[in-house]
Amino acid sequence: MRDLSRRDLLRATAVGAGAVAIPSMIAGSSAIAADGPGWPSDTKFPPAQLTGRIVRPQSPNYAEASLGWDELFVHYPLVIVFAQETQDVVNALTWARQHDVALRVRSGRHNLEGWSNVDNGIVIDVSELKDVHIDTAARTAKVGAGLTQSEAVTALGEHDFAVTTGTEGTVGLSGATLGGGLGFLTRYLGMACDNLIGAEIVVAAGADGAKVLQVDPWNHSDLLWALRGAGNGNFGIVTSLTYQVAPLTSVAYLQVTWPGLDNLHEVFEAWQHVAPFTDPRLGSQIEVHPTEILLFAVLAEGSEAEARKLLAPILSIGTPTVTVQIGNWGDVYADFQTPNEEDPANWKFFSQFTREPFPEKAISIVREFMENAPSPDSNFFTQAFGRGAQRQEPFGGAAFPHRDALFYSEPGAGWGTRGEPNSDDAITPIAQTWIAEFSQALRPYVDGAYVNVPNIGMAEWETAYWGRNFPRLRKIKAKYDPHNVFQYEQSIPPATL
Ligand SMILES: Cc1cc2nc3c(=O)[nH]c(=O)nc-3n(C[C@H](O)[C@H](O)[C@H](O)COP(=O)(O)OP(=O)(O)OC[C@H]3O[C@@H](n4cnc5c(N)ncnc54)[C@H](O)[C@@H]3O)c2cc1C
């Protein structure tokens, strides 16, 4: 498929509408617009109707259909379309454009600023697109954009395959992958987005329409590059994802607990000098809670003895409790999930990457803030990067830039009771201030941020998320979404010509 540049589009416009296909012949409510040439940007499409499972404010299940995982953010959309097939997405996008209605894209509902929902607009929800096709010979998996991470890990685990995902099963595979996707397998298999080799995506077309593109390393390769780390709600609505999957038959999973924070300096110091530099099969994360320190580690294709040996400098500190599980990754992953209902209602995080080990002073900051945490569900989370597969970009490259980080980290706070909007309201400003002051105190020791854990109010978030890739992302945005149809608080603006 020829990749039409914006210049080509303008040229096509200049020779007149007769030079290109007439959209009414191939688009609209009844047929999917094929992956054809781009329409001149002033082309009008036939009126579209909404299709799929449609929820409106008067529907009995509206509140549940609208609410995201982070109940700090409540929105009142005009309509929510739960797409049942790609054509529903084409229709919804066309309808939104023709009615000049704000739109948001949604899959697993875990956006941490509530940006996958919008007041008085349309939410195009792909969470019911659940197809899974695994080609065991080619080691590829094409999955619907509605899978949760748990569903994806389980489906692949049944065939002894894996891709990188984050650790929380109910998070959408789409949202996690399109923003990067880091987890226990990052050092072994790269970022989730590095495993992505193709996608089906519905993009804006012409003045008020939509079309479907099939994206892979040879077709719309610039868009694939952008979807690998900057694809969340910026370019179009991804309806399926194709991954290169890796064989993974067994893992050793360790959970290590130190009561209190007295061992924090030693544990953190040992972890940051071991975890980023050890065998790339070993992924690990530290969680510092107000009353305990937790280390979680996954060794791919390894034994308990091997895992203990690799972690020995950390395990030798104090007298931690260690639990171990050996098994299929899908089973292990399912076992460490906790039900969402047990989570606090409201959450706030601040993301940051670190390139040099934390000095003693930074670890003291972590201890000081955790001792004064606003709620028992506050924590300081880290994930090891360092010498792992994530250093290497996939074939065709990726927009995700933080390849040389030593580790990722985030202070986070959770509070309030689920299902009781505005519960424990008094904690909200305290938690928000705590996060802001905590992340500010760590600023001298961090560099860069993670778009999947957006930092609202951050100056120069564009370069914090994407570094020097940002100008290229703006050009790709201008090519695939010149009218800036896909926009939200921190979306990528199109480059100006
Ligand atoms: C409890 C929790 C744990 C987490 N743990 C991790 C972790 O271990 N590792 C990690 O990397 N991240 C982690 N995250 C962050 C997570 O990756 C992001 O919140 C992710 O964007 C959520 O995706 P979603 O589909 O669930 O959310 P949604 O709210 O549905 O979407 C998130 C964003 O992606 C866009 N989007 C969703 N689907 C599509 C689509 N099909 N096409 C185009 N755009 C789309 C939305 O518009 C929105 O901007 C965690 C988040 C939470 C809340």
Side-chain angles (χ1 to χ4, degrees):
M1 182 55 57
R2 194 163 73 94
D3 229 348
L4 268 197
S5 68
R6 181 172 164 78
R7 193 175 292 270
D8 290 331
L9 285 175
L10 292 172
R11 225 180 271 133
T13 316
V15 296
V20 295
I22 299 164
S24 59
M25 290 165 62
I26 56 175
S29 302
S30 54
I32 291 181
D35 179 4
W39 317 123
S41 62
D42 58 354
T43 306
K44 292 275 192 187
F45 280 58
Q49 303 293 325
L50 292 180
T51 54
R53 186 167 74 83
I54 294 162
V55 176
R56 297 184 191 275
Q58 55 274 29
S59 309
N61 55 344
Y62 174 77
E64 185 283 322
S66 180
L67 195 61
W69 176 83
D70 193 336
E71 296 184 6
L72 193 55
F73 308 98
V74 177
H75 288 288
Y76 300 96
L78 200 60
V79 59
I80 305 168
V81 171
F82 289 90
Q84 307 298 307
E85 55 180 353
T86 302
Q87 183 64 50
D88 297 335
V89 176
V90 173
N91 294 343
L93 176 55
T94 307
W95 183 92
R97 297 191 69 198
Q98 292 176 342
H99 291 82
D100 201 14
V101 162
L103 74 92
R104 295 295 164 91
V105 189
R106 193 175 72 173
S107 180
R109 306 192 193 184
H110 279 63
N111 183 281
L112 288 160
E113 289 295 335
W115 292 339
S116 53
N117 203 335
V118 64
D119 290 334
N120 301 318
I122 180 172
V123 174
I124 304 176
D125 186 300
V126 297
S127 64
E128 293 177 5
L129 301 177
K130 300 273 195 196
D131 283 354
V132 176
H133 299 283
I134 299 173
D135 183 335
T136 53
R139 291 185 176 170
T140 59
K142 182 175 181 182
V143 301
L147 257 62
T148 63
Q149 295 190 133
S150 261
E151 289 165 343
V153 172
T154 302
L156 293 176
E158 283 166 6
H159 298 269
D160 288 334
F161 285 132
V163 294
T164 302
T165 65
T167 45
E168 168 67 47
T170 55
V171 167
L173 184 70
S174 284
T177 301
L178 297 173
L182 54 91
F184 285 119
L185 300 180
T186 294
R187 301 186 71 249
Y188 187 46
L189 302 177
M191 301 294 294
C193 69
D194 298 345
N195 303 168
L196 185 73
I197 55 168
E200 180 181 86
I201 181 169
V202 179
V203 296
D208 63 356
K211 67 179 177 183
V212 184
L213 298 181
Q214 305 295 337
V215 173
D216 62 37
W218 298 275
N219 300 295
H220 308 291
S221 56
D222 50 355
L223 188 51
L224 178 62
W225 176 88
L227 294 181
R228 289 172 168 163
N232 283 330
N234 273 312
F235 302 97
I237 305 149
V238 171
T239 45
S240 83
L241 303 147
T242 303
Y243 294 88
Q244 188 75 62
V245 301
L248 181 57
T249 51
S250 170
V251 303
Y253 171 69
L254 275 72
Q255 181 179 335
V256 188
T257 309
W258 291 265
L261 299 187
D262 287 347
N263 293 119
L264 182 61
H265 273 266
E266 276 180 288
V267 168
F268 202 94
E269 177 69 355
W271 178 81
Q272 66 178 347
H273 283 99
V274 169
F277 303 100
T278 191
D279 189 323
R281 288 177 302 143
L282 187 89
S284 67
Q285 58 193 42
I286 292 264
E287 277 182 28
V288 185
H289 290 258
T291 56
E292 61 185 6
I293 307 162
L294 304 174
L295 165 71
F296 302 93
V298 167
L299 180 65
E301 309 292 13
S303 64
E304 174 181 350
E306 246 184 313
R308 283 183 180 270
K309 195 171 164 200
L310 293 170
L311 293 166
I314 314 170
L315 300 184
S316 64
I317 296 163
T319 50
T321 312
V322 183
T323 60
V324 183
Q325 190 182 350
I326 308 288
N328 172 275
W329 174 232
D331 298 335
V332 169
Y333 188 91
D335 284 351
F336 65 62
Q337 299 302 321
T338 52
N340 269 185
E341 307 81 67
E342 292 175 13
D343 291 334
N346 311 306
W347 289 87
K348 201 77 197 170
F349 297 90
F350 194 94
S351 66
Q352 42 205 11
F353 286 94
T354 292
R355 282 173 179 74
E356 300 290 331
F358 271 8
E360 189 118 324
K361 195 166 167 212
I363 304 172
S364 296
I365 289 169
V366 173
R367 178 163 184 173
E368 188 190 320
F369 274 89
M370 289 317 307
E371 283 176 343
N372 294 288
S375 70
D377 288 294
S378 307
N379 70 81
F380 180 73
F381 168 94
T382 67
Q383 181 92 45
F385 269 47
R387 280 193 215 125
Q390 87 292 334
R391 286 189 86 92
Q392 181 74 38
E393 286 196 358
F395 174 69
F400 178 84
H402 308 288
R403 307 243 161 224
D404 58 347
L406 202 58
F407 57 86
Y408 166 76
S409 69
E410 65 188 25
W415 68 100
T417 308
R418 231 156 239 282
E420 295 176 17
N422 298 323
S423 60
D424 286 354
D425 211 30
I427 299 182
T428 302
I430 297 169
Q432 304 254 28
T433 308
W434 180 80
I435 291 281
E437 290 177 352
F438 195 166
S439 46
Q440 184 67 23
L442 287 175
R443 269 196 73 155
Y445 316 106
V446 301
D447 181 14
Y450 181 32
V451 68
N452 266 353
V453 181
N455 295 341
I456 189 149
M458 183 181 210
E460 296 174 6
W461 50 268
E462 304 91 337
T463 42
Y465 296 152
W466 296 298
R468 59 194 169 84
N469 290 337
F470 188 63
R472 184 175 177 202
L473 286 168
R474 290 197 61 188
K475 285 189 191 144
I476 295 170
K477 172 79 172 178
K479 178 174 168 187
Y480 289 96
D481 184 19
H483 296 291
N484 204 10
V485 172
F486 294 94
Q487 54 173 292
Y488 57 95
E489 287 78 348
Q490 288 185 343
S491 57
I492 297 168
T496 41
L497 290 176

